[in-house]
Amino acid sequence: MPCVSPCLDQIVKMPCSDSFEVDQFLMVEQILSEFKLNKEELKEILKRMQQEMDRGLRLETHEEASVKMLPTYVCSTPEGSEVGDFLALDLGGTNFRVMLVKVGADEERSWKVETKNQMYSIPEDAMTGTAEMLFDYIAECMSDFLDKHHIKHKKLPLGFTFSFPVRHEDIDKGILLNWTKGFKASGAEGNNVVGLLRDAIKRRGDFEMDVVAMVNDTVATMISCYYEDRSCEVGMIVGTGCNACYMEEMRTVELVEGEEGRMCVNTEWGAFGDNGELEDFRLEYDRVVDETSINPGQQLYEKLISGKYMGELVRLVLIKLVNEDLLFSGKASETLRTRGSFETRYVSQVESDTGDRKQIYNILSSLGVLPSELDCDIIRLVCESVSTRSAHMCGAGLAAVLNLMRERRSQETLEITVGVDGSVYKLHPCFRDKFHKIVRELTPNCEITFIQSEEGSGRGAALISAVASKMAVCMLTH
């Protein structure tokens, strides 16, 4: 549905409106104006992102760069001749998915991919306990899935989507640099993630698995979308976290030997800003979100964009308006004053309200507040301000990647497809359109097609394990 926001004209026309309410609305708009980014500011963010990407690719500056530009060792994309059964694991947030992927060819020899999957919720103690506890839980879920599908006797190739910053040493070996997204399991950072998974499978002893590839969710999304569109050379996630990958010229990836061809680079752009590159764009609410997070000072760009933080940003703005006597007659409930109480899904629901304000009223009632019609309109405006900034910030990042790809390839016009996944992109009613619009405005010499990935992470991981099984990966000489 179209995104309709209350404007000053509507407020003035409301039967109950008076000059006080108009003034109140104007003061709210003034406070929210901080969230607006003009085109010049977005171009500046784009430029700084490209500078950090360049530093991440260079050997001499990689260590201190905030955008790490991690080589993934994925150099090949599927050819369509990979057939068979593959298992995929997808760990990237509070839910963990196990998927069986059957890759085959139909009569026309075009690709046919069938999937069966199951979602498992990760308990808090597994997320924040020890690495052994976390990977034992993952192995337990795998065992349950194999039992249900009667395939425990098969030793299948496994693709593992692991959506955290990893320094790859090969397609099936990657060292966890640091946890993000609320994970804190001790004993994992600095260790080979595939090794931790293999050890957990061995400890169980009731099934065998051939772990052939580990990839980031952005890479898995790109590969999954490549099956639909051969021009897909960029993958992006906007959900609990926010990240992107793309096919970079090998000659610029200094961390890996070799000059020919292209390798997929995982930007890990969520950490952009960790060296101060975004200080002049971060607001008081962003600073509070960061200070009260599990990883202060880290993933600052992600904290401006992703679903993990959007609801809390809105809540902090609402509390500011209450304290300024501009909302709820200056009174907020204890629930609303509680950190994390305004969930990100409420942002989507508020902006999906059809104009009768019922949805907004119901959400606020559940938080112990009885809003007026004007309160409802103000809340919608707050949600739109936060989500629009998120879409524009994210758009500047993708534009940085696309413009860089075009320059590297010395093309007058870059025709490119971007595969996208993630709950914010998929479920927020207005994010996608605002994001597409700003990306296109910032990339005048690019012709961009966006594909929304379906089951991207798991299916992509399985397809990469299919590729890896055929040894269609970089053969590097060290």
Side-chain angles (χ1 to χ4, degrees):
M1 61 158 286
C3 300
V4 185
S5 58
C7 62
L8 191 58
D9 286 351
Q10 283 176 280
I11 303 298
V12 173
K13 285 173 191 165
M14 279 166 56
C16 61
S17 74
D18 53 31
S19 62
F20 172 74
E21 287 193 343
V22 173
D23 289 345
Q24 184 181 346
F25 200 76
L26 283 169
M27 288 166 80
V28 169
E29 284 194 317
Q30 179 62 39
I31 286 170
L32 295 178
S33 66
E34 284 188 299
F35 283 93
K36 289 197 173 99
L37 294 164
N38 62 40
K39 204 158 174 192
E40 289 315 304
E41 288 172 317
L42 290 169
K43 282 180 180 174
E44 179 58 29
I45 292 164
L46 184 159
K47 188 179 92 181
R48 293 182 197 178
M49 173 72 85
Q50 285 186 336
Q51 286 168 348
E52 280 306 297
M53 287 170 68
D54 204 44
R55 278 160 49 78
L57 286 168
R58 290 179 188 278
L59 211 48
E60 62 196 33
T61 49
H62 172 79
E63 276 308 311
E64 69 250 26
S66 64
V67 182
K68 287 295 182 206
M69 305 295 282
L70 302 168
T72 65
Y73 290 77
V74 174
C75 304
S76 300
T77 38
E79 297 168 0
S81 53
E82 302 82 9
V83 292
D85 290 357
F86 302 90
L87 204 66
L89 308 184
D90 181 10
L91 176 64
T94 48
N95 289 322
F96 164 70
R97 192 162 49 144
V98 186
M99 186 184 284
L100 175 65
V101 181
K102 290 177 177 289
V103 183
D106 60 19
E107 292 74 36
E108 279 100 48
R109 290 200 51 74
S110 61
W111 293 317
K112 192 159 160 258
V113 183
E114 290 175 14
T115 59
K116 293 174 183 171
N117 69 81
Q118 185 163 341
M119 198 76 84
Y120 298 89
S121 187
I122 299 181
E124 183 75 21
D125 59 348
M127 285 171 67
T128 56
T130 65
E132 199 167 290
M133 286 165 66
L134 176 62
F135 283 91
D136 280 350
Y137 176 75
I138 289 169
E140 186 186 325
C141 295
M142 290 169 68
S143 177
D144 173 73
F145 182 86
L146 295 171
D147 270 337
K148 281 181 179 158
H149 293 279
H150 313 293
I151 48 173
K152 219 169 197 175
H153 59 287
K154 287 187 175 182
K155 187 178 179 182
L156 297 175
L158 171 74
F160 185 20
T161 305
F162 185 75
S163 309
F164 300 92
V166 163
R167 187 181 73 250
H168 274 269
E169 295 179 355
D170 208 332
I171 190 112
D172 67 343
K173 187 177 182 187
I175 309 301
L176 175 63
L177 298 176
N178 56 279
W179 285 118
T180 56
K181 294 179 273 195
F183 279 72
K184 265 288 190 222
S186 62
E189 292 179 352
N191 283 312
N192 174 19
V193 178
V194 174
L196 294 171
L197 177 62
R198 283 179 177 143
D199 289 348
I201 292 170
K202 209 174 283 178
R203 276 195 296 275
R204 278 195 72 82
D206 60 340
F207 67 92
E208 286 186 83
M209 202 55 59
D210 184 17
V211 187
V212 295
M214 179 175 75
V215 291
N216 182 273
D217 54 354
T218 57
V219 183
T221 295
M222 181 187 80
I223 293 289
S224 181
C225 290
Y226 182 89
Y227 255 65
E228 293 167 47
D229 183 335
R230 295 299 188 90
S231 302
C232 187
E233 291 187 82
V234 182
M236 196 184 89
I237 303 284
V238 197
T240 310
C242 181
N243 192 19
C245 72
Y246 70 102
M247 296 303 286
E248 177 58 280
E249 307 304 307
M250 273 291 285
R251 67 178 186 275
T252 69
V253 186
E254 292 186 9
L255 273 72
V256 176
E257 289 179 26
E259 298 283 314
E260 297 302 311
R262 292 171 185 154
M263 178 184 279
C264 182
V265 167
N266 166 22
T267 66
E268 283 299 337
W269 76 14
F272 177 53
D274 291 9
N275 290 341
E277 305 92 343
L278 290 168
E279 281 315 290
D280 41 338
F281 294 103
R282 292 173 70 224
L283 307 179
E284 58 186 278
Y285 323 103
D286 301 311
R287 295 179 195 282
V288 174
V289 160
D290 177 47
E291 285 157 15
T292 54
S293 71
I294 202 165
N295 55 346
Q298 297 178 336
Q299 301 294 111
L300 296 183
Y301 182 61
E302 183 172 82
K303 284 171 183 167
L304 300 174
I305 295 170
S306 84
K308 184 163 179 62
Y309 309 99
M310 198 184 284
E312 180 62 6
L313 283 170
V314 167
R315 188 191 72 82
L316 290 167
V317 178
L318 298 184
I319 294 301
K320 161 118 173 174
L321 296 178
V322 168
N323 293 342
E324 300 269 342
D325 219 9
L326 295 169
L327 191 63
F328 310 139
S329 306
K331 297 183 189 73
S333 66
E334 274 310 302
T335 308
L336 191 60
R337 289 194 181 274
T338 305
R339 181 172 161 255
S341 60
F342 199 96
E343 297 174 31
T344 293
R345 66 190 171 99
Y346 296 159
V347 181
S348 293
Q349 288 166 8
V350 164
E351 292 190 55
S352 300
D353 190 90
T354 53
D356 62 8
R357 305 179 180 88
K358 270 187 190 164
Q359 202 146 280
I360 303 173
Y361 187 88
N362 291 340
I363 290 166
L364 292 167
S365 301
S366 75
L367 295 171
V369 179
L370 296 177
S372 67
E373 286 193 342
L374 182 62
D375 288 335
C376 289
D377 288 343
I378 287 170
I379 278 154
R380 182 172 189 135
L381 211 58
V382 172
C383 289
E384 286 182 353
S385 298
V386 172
S387 67
T388 301
R389 183 190 66 162
S390 167
H392 287 177
M393 271 279 178
C394 189
L398 183 63
V401 170
L402 297 176
N403 287 338
L404 194 70
M405 289 175 81
R406 188 185 69 81
E407 286 164 27
R408 294 265 204 260
R409 298 176 188 194
S410 307
Q411 292 177 349
E412 203 168 308
T413 304
L414 176 72
E415 288 185 28
I416 192 86
T417 297
V418 179
V420 195
D421 204 349
S423 53
V424 173
Y425 183 84
K426 284 181 166 178
L427 303 178
H428 188 282
C430 314
F431 183 96
R432 188 170 40 232
D433 291 344
K434 289 175 181 176
F435 169 71
H436 291 176
K437 185 171 185 286
I438 205 71
V439 172
R440 291 190 168 111
E441 281 178 25
L442 295 170
T443 56
N445 297 311
C446 298
E447 287 182 19
I448 310 157
T449 303
F450 290 97
I451 295 186
Q452 184 170 300
S453 169
E454 301 304 328
E455 298 178 336
S457 289
R459 192 173 79 157
L463 297 176
I464 288 172
S465 70
V467 171
S469 296
K470 284 181 62 192
M471 298 309 290
V473 293
C474 286
M475 303 306 292
L476 298 164
T477 51
H478 293 283

